[in-house]
Amino acid sequence: MADANNQGWKVFRPDWYNKRIIETYISSPTIDKQGDEVPVATIKEAMENYMKFGIYSYKHEEMPIGLPLAYKVKGGKIKIRVGIHNKMDMHDRVWKEIQNYGTQGASSIRGEAIDTEKVCNDRNVCHNRINDLNLWSVSWVGNTPANPEAKVTSVSVAKELTEEIETMVEKIIVKRGKQYCLLARKDRKLLGC
């Protein structure tokens, strides 16, 4: 999932214990649905502490489902790599949900705004700019992020799912008389009709 040699990534946890890894944007220089703008520089300043002490949670319920592994700035946005746990039934349920959404899924940040300012344009439309942030959590939020650009870009496929797909691809169906029979693709051994 990484660029060659982790190019551009600032890695905090290089050895994750399973293959459940996603990559997701968590910020962009836009005003979100809550009327907040969090500049990339503000998020970047908060990343060191988030990477060391923060969690990846489920829908802002602060139910920890994973840990941040690495981050980078790409295209004017912050992107993180997250490892998703596999130690509880809840982790498995959430992992299936993440896989089902794939790149249609999204993430959302949560923390404490330390310094904010009201910013208005020439039409007197205003929003809050967060200039300092204690970021403690990024959450999986399905497909309803506050920031529309905080999209998941990559979901690793669990090894067992990959093997199941490969097994399915290795089989073919042929019609023999009035029956349809399943043959192994490699040696055309009859598996059943």
Side-chain angles (χ1 to χ4, degrees):
M1 291 197 58
D3 298 341
N5 303 316
N6 282 319
Q7 200 171 33
W9 290 95
K10 185 163 183 180
V11 179
F12 284 75
R13 292 179 180 88
D15 300 315
W16 186 245
Y17 68 92
N18 65 38
K19 296 187 181 293
R20 294 180 176 185
I21 298 172
I22 69 171
E23 291 179 6
T24 180
Y25 285 104
I26 63 170
S27 74
S28 66
T30 60
I31 300 165
D32 66 22
K33 292 177 185 175
Q34 299 163 337
D36 293 329
E37 172 195 8
V38 186
V40 171
T42 300
I43 297 280
K44 191 173 177 185
E45 285 178 33
M47 288 308 292
E48 188 83 16
N49 280 338
Y50 169 69
M51 296 302 295
K52 290 178 184 174
F53 309 113
I55 63 168
Y56 194 75
S57 64
Y58 184 71
K59 297 188 177 181
H60 291 302
E61 294 177 9
E62 301 315 317
M63 219 167 47
I65 60 169
L67 291 172
L69 307 177
Y71 82 93
K72 69 178 174 178
V73 179
K74 183 176 179 181
K77 302 185 274 188
I78 302 286
K79 186 177 200 179
I80 64 172
R81 183 180 298 142
V82 178
I84 305 296
H85 293 300
N86 63 0
K87 301 299 183 188
M88 298 179 189
D89 290 342
M90 174 265 300
H91 296 144
D92 296 338
R93 284 191 304 272
V94 172
W95 178 243
K96 285 180 183 168
E97 182 179 318
I98 290 170
Q99 285 183 308
N100 286 338
Y101 275 94
T103 57
Q104 299 304 307
S107 298
S108 180
I109 64 173
R110 185 171 193 173
E112 178 183 12
I114 304 301
D115 176 31
T116 64
E117 68 178 300
K118 186 176 182 178
V119 178
C120 301
N121 64 19
D122 56 351
R123 295 173 301 184
N124 211 24
V125 176
C126 303
H127 67 276
N128 295 315
R129 179 182 296 143
I130 299 173
N131 296 315
D132 192 7
L133 174 70
N134 283 337
L135 178 62
W136 63 70
S137 175
V138 175
S139 285
W140 163 256
V141 291
N143 63 355
T144 57
N147 185 324
E149 294 186 45
K151 294 289 189 177
V152 170
T153 61
S154 176
V155 177
S156 70
V157 177
K159 184 178 180 183
E160 52 278 9
L161 181 59
T162 302
E163 290 169 355
E164 182 181 332
I165 291 168
E166 287 171 355
T167 301
M168 289 168 53
V169 169
E170 291 173 356
K171 298 175 184 170
I172 60 172
I173 298 173
V174 295
K175 187 174 182 182
R176 289 197 173 159
K178 295 182 180 182
Q179 295 184 3
Y180 288 91
C181 300
L182 185 62
L183 303 175
R185 183 178 292 272
K186 289 182 181 175
D187 58 6
R188 300 190 63 81
K189 179 181 172 185
L190 180 64
L191 301 173
C193 292

